[in-house]
Amino acid sequence: MAGVTDRPFRQLCKELGAGYAVAEMAAANPRVWASEKSSRRRDHTGEMEPKAVQIAGSDPQELADCARFNVDKGAQVVDINMGCPVKKVCNNWCGSALLQFEDVVERILHAVVAAVDVPVTLKFRTGWDRQNKNALRIARIAEQAGIQMLTLHGRTRADGYTGEAEYDTIAAVKAAVSIPVVANGDITSPEKARYVLDKTGADAVMVGRAAQGRPWIFREIDHFLRTGTLLPPPLVAEVRRLMDEHLRAHYGFYGENLGVRTARKHIGWYVRDLPGGEEFRQEMNRLESTTAQLAAVDSFFESQWKYGERLQYRLAEEMLAA
């Protein structure tokens, strides 16, 4: 979720029911710590607690130093990334590439846990590929090293984000360790969250891509798990307000020029399944100022009133099929 889970988006997700949100993946390489991008990624100013940072690298000492550096900057939880499948990350022997080297994984986990006095957690995948699934061994190594929580994505590195996540491996890991296990992968609805919790016995679920453009999925899941009933789609008026607040916070975080460009993906996700959303997305991508973006978004959501007081995702599907 690099490029997505910045501070404004994390804060919005927490306000809408997420119990926990992890910052964008930060490189352990000390040569990039002073860069503007890295500084922004560890900015937790005003963020609701707990403040969690995710670090990535392959050198145990660099990762330990990076963890210590981020804790000094306010991080209350350090999450180690061994799940990213992106080529440029894996080519540097970071992310899920580390799952091929269990001895290195063990050294990294021990080094980071020893370096800080806050909880250290691990995000990982089921293995490098389907012929080399080793999540169970990695989980046991992690528990013995003092890792406080595991988040397991139900795919191998080779799977990327294709196909469907599998949950049997997550269930096996949960049964094998005594620390909390969070299930991740293809959790796109409240019903799917309930299914995955029942299937795996996990302590919680982590939502990633499904929150892009629908940050209210967290309160929908929470409500369904507590009551067994589904919330209706959000009111147009509420989303109009949330969009305005999110964009203004986004611009304040990134500045005018970068803010306009980086906001485009968020706006596109918000409108992609709504009537007229694709046409609006193409129009919005040509706007070059925050003022123009805010006005266009406000106008778009004003237009949604003609379809009802609540967002009409199904109507967009019907219009495309017609």
Side-chain angles (χ1 to χ4, degrees), residues 82 98-106 109 122-128 132-145 147 150 152 173 177 179:
M82 294 188 187
L98 289 167
L99 300 177
Q100 300 172 93
F101 310 103
E102 294 175 13
D103 58 331
V104 178
V105 168
E106 185 171 18
L109 300 184
L122 175 66
K123 172 73 185 294
F124 66 126
R125 286 186 170 233
T126 57
W128 177 250
N132 295 281
K133 287 187 178 181
N134 60 345
L136 208 53
R137 293 196 299 275
I138 296 292
R140 287 174 175 145
I141 289 170
E143 184 175 32
Q144 291 167 4
I147 292 297
L150 300 170
L152 180 54
V173 166
V177 299
I179 57 177

Side-chain angles (χ1 to χ4, degrees), residues 1-2 5 10 20-28 38 41-42 44 51-57 63 66-67 70 75 77-84 89 95 121-124 151 184 206:
M1 299 289 282
T5 56
R10 293 195 306 275
Y20 181 67
V22 183
E24 299 172 80
M25 184 171 64
S38 292
R41 287 184 174 183
R42 64 173 180 268
H44 300 277
K51 301 173 182 179
V53 64
Q54 186 176 86
I55 61 175
L63 282 158
C66 183
N70 278 280
V77 180
V78 173
D79 186 55
I80 303 172
N81 184 298
M82 294 188 187
C84 181
V89 173
T121 62
L122 175 66
K123 172 73 185 294
F124 66 126
T151 300
N184 176 231
M206 178 169 282

Side-chain angles (χ1 to χ4, degrees), residues 34 42 54 57 112 120 159 187 212:
R42 64 173 180 268
Q54 186 176 86
V112 175
V120 180
D159 292 329
I187 299 167
Q212 294 173 346

Side-chain angles (χ1 to χ4, degrees):
M1 299 289 282
V4 180
T5 56
D6 53 29
R7 192 188 73 202
F9 186 66
R10 293 195 306 275
Q11 185 73 359
L12 178 62
C13 290
K14 289 178 178 180
E15 290 171 0
L16 290 172
Y20 181 67
V22 183
E24 299 172 80
M25 184 171 64
N29 186 339
R31 291 190 295 274
V32 303
W33 292 357
S35 71
E36 184 178 359
K37 180 184 287 187
S38 292
S39 298
R40 195 180 293 119
R41 287 184 174 183
R42 64 173 180 268
D43 186 340
H44 300 277
T45 306
E47 183 178 352
M48 295 167 61
E49 297 183 351
K51 301 173 182 179
V53 64
Q54 186 176 86
I55 61 175
S58 58
D59 180 85
Q61 189 58 55
E62 281 191 356
L63 282 158
D65 292 342
C66 183
R68 195 179 299 109
F69 177 78
N70 278 280
V71 169
D72 289 343
K73 296 294 183 181
Q76 298 167 313
V77 180
V78 173
D79 186 55
I80 303 172
N81 184 298
M82 294 188 187
C84 181
V86 176
K87 277 187 178 181
K88 68 178 182 179
V89 173
C90 289
N91 286 346
N92 288 318
W93 304 109
C94 303
S96 54
L98 289 167
L99 300 177
Q100 300 172 93
F101 310 103
E102 294 175 13
D103 58 331
V104 178
V105 168
E106 185 171 18
R107 291 200 300 273
I108 287 172
L109 300 184
H110 278 281
V112 175
V113 169
V116 294
D117 58 1
V118 302
V120 180
T121 62
L122 175 66
K123 172 73 185 294
F124 66 126
R125 286 186 170 233
T126 57
W128 177 250
D129 56 32
R130 297 185 187 185
Q131 290 71 46
N132 295 281
K133 287 187 178 181
N134 60 345
L136 208 53
R137 293 196 299 275
I138 296 292
R140 287 174 175 145
I141 289 170
E143 184 175 32
Q144 291 167 4
I147 292 297
Q148 298 292 298
M149 184 177 76
L150 300 170
T151 300
L152 180 54
H153 185 107
R155 287 183 174 87
T156 68
R157 186 272 168 183
D159 292 329
Y161 295 103
T162 61
E164 296 182 356
E166 58 93 0
Y167 306 113
D168 289 341
T169 303
I170 301 176
V173 166
K174 173 57 187 172
V177 299
S178 59
I179 57 177
V181 174
V182 180
N184 176 231
D186 294 352
I187 299 167
T188 57
S189 68
E191 300 97 321
K192 189 64 175 288
R194 176 77 274 167
Y195 168 81
V196 172
L197 287 170
D198 291 342
K199 174 76 173 176
T200 63
D203 300 279
V205 291
M206 178 169 282
V207 176
R209 291 169 292 159
Q212 294 173 346
R214 295 191 185 186
W216 42 85
I217 191 174
F218 299 104
R219 74 179 180 197
E220 292 174 343
I221 289 173
D222 176 67
H223 181 84
F224 185 73
L225 294 178
R226 286 187 295 102
T227 70
T229 61
L230 293 170
L231 287 174
L235 292 165
V236 171
E238 181 193 20
V239 176
R240 187 178 183 178
R241 175 183 59 79
L242 288 173
M243 279 287 298
D244 186 77
E245 292 175 358
H246 183 191
L247 288 176
R248 290 181 187 278
H250 188 92
Y251 301 148
F253 189 66
Y254 287 100
E256 172 84 17
N257 293 331
L258 185 58
V260 167
R261 299 198 301 275
T262 53
R264 289 170 181 161
K265 60 178 179 286
H266 285 283
I267 297 170
W269 290 326
Y270 277 108
V271 306
R272 63 185 165 189
D273 296 321
L274 295 173
E278 177 56 27
E279 295 84 353
F280 171 72
R281 187 188 66 81
Q282 294 180 26
E283 170 196 337
M284 180 271 305
N285 283 342
R286 295 190 289 269
L287 302 179
E288 296 293 341
S289 75
T290 57
T291 301
Q293 269 190 351
L294 285 169
V297 168
D298 190 64
S299 178
F300 175 81
F301 280 98
E302 176 68 23
S303 75
Q304 296 300 298
W305 278 100
K306 62 186 175 187
Y307 304 110
E309 67 174 3
R310 296 187 180 274
L311 296 187
Q312 300 293 319
Y313 293 112
R314 189 172 302 171
L315 180 59
E317 296 169 0
E318 293 172 355
M319 291 172 68
L320 287 172

